[in-house]
Amino acid sequence: MPEREKKTRRLTELSVLTAVSLIMFIIEMQLPPIVPIPGVKIGLANIVTVYAVYRYKPQEAAMIFFVRIIIGSLFSGNITALIFSFCGGLLCLLGMIIISRITDINMIVASSVIGAILHNTGQTAAAIFVMKTTAVIAYLPFLLFSGCIAGAFTGACAMLVIKRVRGKS
């Protein structure tokens, strides 16, 4: 396959993954909260992020993440969510990229759980900065617990997608 076709194919794959993550984000926005604690979500769009970290270059995974965060915030109409999502997501993304470089694909679920912990930590730090109060730290244990569950779920889903894609190639 000529180099130009490879680049076009790669860009198309990244665009489709970005669109899928946005669709998953929008679907999750429509779901009622699973618990009455602010910030607790399943994080369906993170399935794509975890998948991208393990299947693409770090800058490509980052591109999918940044585009989803920016467009997702526009769709939700909540600019404050942009700050929380960006801070938490960036910390999560960096952590998972580092872990993916020192472990293999079999650690994807653990990497996703650690990413979720980093995400919740980054969001809490952003909340402290935005709200100018440390009272939000009281939510952190609940966020970390739910984040571990959500991280395990998104990591397992990403692993299933990777296995499925490998089976087709």
Side-chain angles (χ1 to χ4, degrees):
M1 181 182 300
E3 190 62 33
R4 184 177 174 129
E5 284 183 34
K6 285 182 184 177
K7 287 182 180 180
T8 301
R9 181 182 174 100
R10 187 74 156 200
L11 182 59
T12 303
E13 288 175 11
L14 294 171
S15 299
V16 169
L17 285 172
T18 303
V20 168
S21 71
L22 279 166
I23 291 166
M24 294 171 94
F25 173 81
I26 291 167
I27 289 170
E28 189 168 10
M29 267 188 354
Q30 303 307 312
L31 299 174
I34 49 178
V35 293
I37 299 170
V40 174
K41 294 182 355 179
I42 300 169
L44 296 175
N46 293 328
I47 295 168
V48 175
T49 304
V50 175
Y51 171 81
V53 164
Y54 279 86
R55 295 286 293 172
Y56 294 92
K57 296 175 184 171
Q59 61 270 26
E60 293 169 333
M63 181 188 69
I64 292 169
F65 163 74
F66 287 123
V67 171
R68 175 179 51 96
I69 293 297
I70 292 167
I71 296 176
S73 293
L74 292 174
F75 286 164
S76 72
N78 188 349
I79 297 303
T80 307
L82 173 68
I83 297 167
F84 296 143
S85 296
F86 180 78
C87 292
L90 183 60
L91 199 56
C92 169
L93 182 67
L94 292 173
M96 285 195 308
I97 288 171
I98 291 167
I99 292 167
S100 74
R101 299 295 171 242
I102 59 176
T103 65
D104 66 6
I105 194 111
N106 295 318
M107 295 299 293
I108 196 168
V109 174
S111 174
S112 183
V113 169
I114 292 168
I117 290 168
L118 292 170
H119 190 278
N120 292 136
T121 303
Q123 279 188 318
T124 303
I128 291 168
F129 178 76
V130 168
M131 301 170 138
K132 299 188 184 350
T133 179
T134 57
V136 293
I137 290 177
Y139 288 111
L140 191 57
F142 302 105
L143 292 174
L144 293 175
F145 177 76
S146 65
C148 287
I149 294 168
F153 174 76
T154 57
C157 289
M159 184 62 138
L160 287 173
V161 172
I162 287 171
K163 286 181 179 180
R164 188 81 167 171
V165 170
R166 280 187 181 164
K168 294 196 185 251
S169 14

